[in-house]
Amino acid sequence: MTVLFGAPLSPFVRKVRVALAHKNLPYDLQPVMPGSDDPAFRRLSPLGKVPAFSDDQVGLADSSVICAYLEKRHPSPALLPADPAAYATALWLEEYADSVLFHICTEGVFFERIVKPHMRGVAPDEAKVAAALADLPGACDYLEAQCAAGHLGGDTFTLGDIAVATQFANLGYGGEQVDAARWPLLAQFLQDTLARPAFADCLAEEKALMGG
Ligand SMILES: N[C@@H](CCC(=O)N[C@@H](CS)C(=O)NCC(=O)O)C(=O)O
């Protein structure tokens, strides 16, 4: 049985869920909060980070590693292009999203405005939010230039698209949106990508968790 451990609101857990759905792979979502000391989870994720994953062959942590494994074991439908340049571009966009966009959208905005007040009973630090948001226009300029034929960095849906869109979903939970007048291609990309069934199903579930 395939099991994914993690909290649905984590952008990294969502990234793997969307990859699994895109590949039509069934799985059980085992709800686990980041840092949980659940022994089955910690055996897979020694750092306590979500997501973690196991199937009949392997136990893994880290969304990028899990997605790389899924792509190798279940190559079709593909999430990484065969062409070497397009393949590397998709991996670069994934890395950019997991580092730069995570820092802005999730650590800087979602964590301060949602996790701290609603899950930890702590006031948000709006100075940290403002510092993160100061980096958002540069990131949007960069991503606007990567938009091509409805996708990022190329003309097919890739893991790079998933990794970028999942971070912007958390930015939205934190009450911030991409300005469609200034970054029209990026705004359209996000609207279309987050409306894909693989994303929309996750987001509908998350909305229910957040009280509608
Ligand atoms: N590189 C990891 C990052 C995972 C990550 O940072 N997850 C966060 C939740 S969004 C977490 O578990 N944080 C807990 C911690 O850092 O202790 C991945 O891609 O899975």
Side-chain angles (χ1 to χ4, degrees), residues 7 9-13 15-16 33-35 41-42 45 47-52 61-66 94 98 102 106-107 110 120 167 170:
L9 291 173
S10 157
F12 299 107
V13 171
K15 179 175 140 192
V16 176
M33 291 304 281
F41 166 62
R42 288 309 274 252
S45 179
L47 301 178
K49 295 190 181 206
V50 296
D62 193 282
S63 64
S64 300
V65 174
I66 298 165
E94 181 189 19
D98 290 0
F102 171 67
T106 301
E107 273 188 327
F110 175 77
R120 300 201 177 162
Q167 298 295 339
N170 284 72

Side-chain angles (χ1 to χ4, degrees), residues 107-109 111-114 116-117 122-132:
E107 273 188 327
V109 176
F111 184 75
E112 289 300 327
R113 288 193 177 155
I114 302 296
K116 277 171 78 170
V122 179
D125 183 341
E126 280 296 330
K128 280 194 183 160
V129 175

Side-chain angles (χ1 to χ4, degrees), residues 115-141:
V115 176
K116 277 171 78 170
H118 299 294
M119 300 177 195
R120 300 201 177 162
V122 179
D125 183 341
E126 280 296 330
K128 280 194 183 160
V129 175
L133 288 176
D135 290 333
L136 185 61
C140 291
D141 285 345

Side-chain angles (χ1 to χ4, degrees), residues 23-105:
K23 290 176 177 292
N24 297 308
L25 298 171
Y27 65 97
D28 272 356
L29 180 67
Q30 198 75 38
V32 162
M33 291 304 281
S36 162
D37 55 10
D38 177 299
F41 166 62
R42 288 309 274 252
R43 268 194 296 278
L44 300 168
S45 179
L47 301 178
K49 295 190 181 206
V50 296
F53 169 97
S54 66
D55 68 3
D56 60 337
Q57 301 214 342
V58 73
L60 298 167
D62 193 282
S63 64
S64 300
V65 174
I66 298 165
C67 289
Y69 168 71
L70 293 175
E71 187 71 2
K72 199 83 170 167
R73 183 153 185 215
H74 307 279
S76 180
L79 277 173
L80 290 171
D83 172 74
Y87 171 83
T89 300
L91 290 182
W92 156 246
L93 287 165
E94 181 189 19
E95 166 56 25
Y96 181 79
D98 290 0
S99 53
V100 174
L101 298 180
F102 171 67
H103 180 65
I104 298 171
C105 302

